[in-house]
Amino acid sequence: GMCADISKYDRNRRLLYNSLGEMGYEAVEPKWAFYLFVKALEPDANAFYEKAKKHELLLVPSDSFGVEGYVRISYCVSYEQIERSLPAFKKLYEEYKK
């Protein structure tokens, strides 16, 4: 008779999706998943993943999920962890837009 509180995931989803969009990233807005597909800032999602690691961002190239040129980001973490990651996403974006 117990239910999971999915409102926390919705809050995380909105923070991540909206924040990345404001920075300039393109993403597929998820409805029921626990991850976000974000378009890599270069054609090679694996190369983008490697550059993201330098900013301590753990992204999964989604070629193996049938979505080439995108990375997958889980938001099944704490809200605070997503907040702490946003400056790194901004630095990564700025690195590509120089």
Side-chain angles (χ1 to χ4, degrees):
M2 296 173 53
C3 294
D5 181 5
I6 60 170
S7 67
K8 292 179 181 181
Y9 296 122
D10 183 53
R11 184 175 178 226
N12 289 356
R13 176 188 61 82
R14 285 184 282 116
L15 174 63
L16 188 59
Y17 178 78
N18 293 335
S19 297
L20 293 181
E22 289 170 7
M23 289 178 205
Y25 287 93
E26 293 179 44
V28 177
E29 185 174 10
K31 299 296 182 196
W32 301 107
F34 299 107
Y35 46 83
L36 184 67
F37 281 107
V38 177
K39 187 173 184 179
L41 298 176
E42 63 179 278
D44 184 347
N46 288 299
F48 180 68
Y49 152 78
E50 290 296 334
K51 287 182 183 173
K53 282 194 324 187
K54 294 176 187 174
H55 294 274
E56 298 184 5
L57 295 169
L58 183 58
L59 314 177
V60 177
S62 48
D63 295 13
S64 60
F65 299 106
V67 187
E68 291 184 17
Y70 282 75
V71 292
R72 194 169 98 159
I73 305 170
S74 174
Y75 51 85
C76 292
V77 296
S78 72
Y79 188 83
E80 294 76 22
Q81 186 172 353
I82 294 172
E83 286 180 314
R84 287 191 309 268
S85 74
L86 296 177
F89 277 107
K90 185 167 180 63
K91 286 180 185 176
L92 178 61
Y93 186 85
E94 290 170 350
E95 194 175 296
Y96 276 93
K97 298 305 172 181
K98 287 182 182 179

